[in-house]
């Protein structure tokens, strides 16, 4: 569950932007396609928490990487990375 206060959302957003760098040198742009249902759900969640869909996706990716790298119960999907 996404739990952030207005203050922590701002600081998390600032931290994420700082990690990427203003000049974009520490970032990589990718393109992906979502179903209409996925996009609608992401937009609804983003609106409810007053964040951008892009922020949600970056946060989800961060959490997935932490889970897989930290092996905290394994990945959510049936991927075998070993």
């Amino acid at each position: 569950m996404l739990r952030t206060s207005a203050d922590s959302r701002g600081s998390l957003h600032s931290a994420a932007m700082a990690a990427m760098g203003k000049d974009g040198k520490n970032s990589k742009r990718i393109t992906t396609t979502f179903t209409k249902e996925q996009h609608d759900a992401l937009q609804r969640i983003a609106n409810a928490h007053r964040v951008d869909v892009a922020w949600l996706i970056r946060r989800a990716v961060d959490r997935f990487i932490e889970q897989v790298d930290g092996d905290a119960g394994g990945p959510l999907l049936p991927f075998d990375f070993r």
Side-chain angles (χ1 to χ4, degrees):
M1 180 189 323
L2 181 64
R3 292 182 188 161
T4 58
S5 67
D7 291 334
S8 66
R9 269 197 303 272
S11 62
L12 285 171
H13 178 73
S14 297
M17 295 308 290
M20 287 190 284
K22 271 190 158 183
D23 58 6
K25 289 183 180 177
N26 194 29
S27 64
K28 188 75 173 174
R29 182 175 298 272
I30 65 166
T31 302
T32 190
T33 304
F34 293 102
T35 66
K36 181 181 180 338
E37 292 79 15
Q38 290 171 322
H39 180 268
D40 290 348
L42 287 168
Q43 190 65 60
R44 178 181 43 76
I45 295 165
N47 290 344
H49 294 281
R50 293 178 293 172
V51 296
D52 294 330
V53 169
W55 183 90
L56 286 178
I57 294 167
R58 286 190 299 269
R59 182 67 181 126
V61 168
D62 286 342
R63 291 186 70 181
F64 180 76
I65 291 168
E66 289 170 5
Q67 186 176 18
V68 171
D69 285 351
D71 201 26
L76 298 174
L77 302 174
F79 293 147
D80 183 13
F81 294 109
R82 295 165 205 209

